[in-house]
Amino acid sequence: MTPEHTGTAQLTTAMMLSGTLGVFVVESGAPPFDVVLFRVLFGALALGGYVVARGWLRDHGFTRRTLSLAVLGGVFIVLNWVLLFESYANTSISVATVVYHTQPFYVVLLGALLFRERLTAAKVGWTALAFAGLVLVSGVTPADLGGGGAYLTGVGQALLAALLYGLSTLVTKRITGVRPHLIALVQVLVGIPLLLPFADFGAMRGTGAGWGWLAGLGLLHTGVMYVLMYAAYAKLPTSKIAVLAFVYPAVAMVMDWAVYGHHIGPVQALGVPLIVIASLKVTLARTPAAAPAPRTAGHAPRDASPTATRAACEA
């Protein structure tokens, strides 16, 4: 098997795992703040164990500046998870996931606004097309706008989660010389003190089997999934990473239908290809399709962290 075939299998597996995230969140039965707290706790154990086993702590490559950036990115990441998980309850896993997949457009817009990155007419056009698709997928009606109900709140939470992820991506892009596994470890560790004041441990009494789902979020969706993704990024061109990223929302929609009987309607379905096409165009415009993905696995700590392509790949 060639390295590219191995990377394809690794990233496909990671995206399929990511697509089951919503089911694990809902089945845990825990409040969103508690879900994220235990995700980062179990995730820190998984990622920390992997990093220690590989011996990467000895020459971590962090400076005061890059560690501060990693911490800031961690704040954005953790709050983004809280909002996304709340969105599942207010809309559905399918709608929340597709709306959340507008992350690449926020990266483009925020990059232009905050860092004066070049914003071409083509990127503006593709972004406009994506948000037209977003309007269709959201399924928001005039009644929702007037009533201010839970559904509209859920769509807004998914959009805000995507915005926070975009901010995290821009911050992480500015960290160089540090392995992405170490950046991810810092980000989940940041979540522990950040979320502890908001945790409702009383609600965790009698969770029972829910602990298995929470452990899965940390061990599988944070530990195993991140390791697979970073290993795949070292073997795949950006064009393939961008395409395989859409395994995540596809699996999420199938799981939502198979487990909970939720599905998007015909009009909402019209918006999905608009978001997919526009996201691919914007992602590939940021990094030439022929360019190799950033090296992350098995290389020296001087290698840069993953680029904004991550924004289309992680939850």
Side-chain angles (χ1 to χ4, degrees):
M1 184 178 287
T2 66
E4 185 166 338
H5 287 152
T6 301
T8 299
Q10 289 170 327
L11 189 54
T12 301
T13 302
M15 292 300 98
M16 290 180 70
L17 270 177
S18 191
T20 65
L21 180 77
V23 172
F24 276 68
V25 171
V26 173
E27 291 301 310
S28 74
F33 278 102
D34 289 359
V35 172
V36 181
L37 174 62
F38 288 104
R39 178 183 184 177
V40 297
L41 279 169
F42 287 116
L45 289 174
L47 285 172
Y50 182 78
V51 165
V52 169
R54 298 299 297 266
W56 289 341
L57 286 179
R58 289 191 296 272
D59 188 16
H60 52 75
F62 275 118
T63 63
R64 183 177 297 180
R65 174 184 175 275
T66 56
L67 182 59
S68 298
L69 288 173
V71 169
L72 178 61
V75 172
F76 291 141
I77 277 287
V78 169
L79 295 179
N80 130 85
W81 284 340
V82 172
L83 286 166
L84 178 62
F85 297 169
E86 287 183 339
S87 179
Y88 290 156
N90 289 323
T91 56
S92 69
I93 294 171
S94 297
V95 171
T97 302
V98 175
V99 171
Y100 183 66
H101 228 68
T102 55
Q103 300 155 345
F105 309 104
Y106 284 115
V107 173
V108 170
L109 296 174
L110 289 169
L113 181 64
L114 300 178
F115 302 107
R116 297 187 179 181
E117 295 180 357
R118 186 165 174 262
L119 186 60
T120 64
K123 288 179 182 178
V124 172
W126 289 118
T127 301
L129 180 67
F131 280 94
L134 171 65
V135 172
L136 293 173
V137 169
S138 69
V140 174
T141 65
D144 294 318
L145 294 173
Y151 187 86
L152 183 59
T153 299
V155 172
Q157 288 167 333
L159 280 171
L160 187 53
L163 173 62
L164 289 172
Y165 197 95
L167 287 168
S168 175
T169 299
L170 288 174
V171 169
T172 304
K173 282 175 63 179
R174 279 149 181 81
I175 302 175
T176 58
V178 182
R179 293 181 185 275
H181 309 76
L182 289 169
I183 298 172
L185 178 57
V186 169
Q187 290 175 337
V188 294
L189 287 172
V190 165
I192 298 173
L194 183 65
L195 294 169
L196 272 175
F198 304 99
D200 182 3
F201 293 106
M204 301 302 295
R205 296 194 188 102
T207 297
W211 285 109
W213 296 102
L214 292 172
L217 283 168
L219 301 177
L220 294 177
H221 295 92
T222 308
V224 174
M225 188 180 81
Y226 276 39
V227 169
L228 285 172
M229 282 195 305
Y230 295 146
Y233 290 161
K235 304 178 181 74
L236 297 175
T238 301
S239 56
K240 181 162 284 189
I241 293 173
V243 171
L244 290 176
F246 287 95
V247 172
Y248 158 40
V251 172
M253 292 169 73
V254 170
M255 293 297 295
D256 198 20
W257 168 76
V259 179
Y260 303 113
H262 298 157
H263 59 84
I264 62 175
V267 175
Q268 291 175 292
L270 294 175
V272 175
L274 299 183
I275 294 175
V276 170
I277 294 169
S279 179
L280 286 172
K281 290 290 186 179
V282 167
T283 300
L284 297 180
R286 288 203 309 273
T287 306
R295 299 286 173 178
T296 59
H299 288 67
R302 66 179 178 274
D303 292 325
S305 56
T307 65
T309 304
R310 276 182 60 188
C313 294
E314 296 180 23

